[in-house]
Amino acid sequence: MRVFSDLNLNGKSPMRAQPRIGDWGPQKVPSTRWKKWQRVLVPLLAVLLAVGVFFLGRMFYLALTEPQAAPAFHVGTHSS
């Protein structure tokens, strides 16, 4: 059973819609290997980005809601 679909996107498309073919294959078209890597990397990066945004938001939330952090910002107070 194949994990990924066929990445040959030309199929039955007309020649005018297909990419230019150079000496070593299509020009300015990502390789099949890179397309497979992208299918793995994009969801992984999306999850990492979501986790990063969550923890950044949590850091700001905790910094703004901690009651012990408030007296440190008062001007003119002196603790001894």
Side-chain angles (χ1 to χ4, degrees):
M1 182 174 169
R2 294 177 61 160
V3 177
F4 297 119
S5 62
D6 183 17
L7 296 177
N8 180 8
L9 301 178
N10 291 343
K12 296 179 182 179
S13 63
M15 287 299 292
R16 67 180 180 274
Q18 294 181 12
R20 293 184 183 158
I21 305 297
D23 293 338
W24 295 97
Q27 296 175 342
K28 298 182 182 179
V29 176
S31 67
T32 303
R33 179 176 290 169
W34 178 242
K35 289 180 201 175
K36 287 181 181 179
W37 271 106
Q38 284 178 336
R39 288 182 176 184
V40 174
L41 287 176
V42 168
L44 182 66
L45 291 175
V47 168
L48 290 175
L49 183 65
V51 168
V53 169
F54 170 78
F55 281 111
L56 182 65
R58 179 171 165 77
M59 182 185 69
F60 280 115
Y61 172 77
L62 291 176
L64 293 172
T65 59
E66 286 183 4
Q68 68 270 18
F73 294 112
H74 288 295
V75 177
T77 60
H78 183 48
S79 60
S80 6

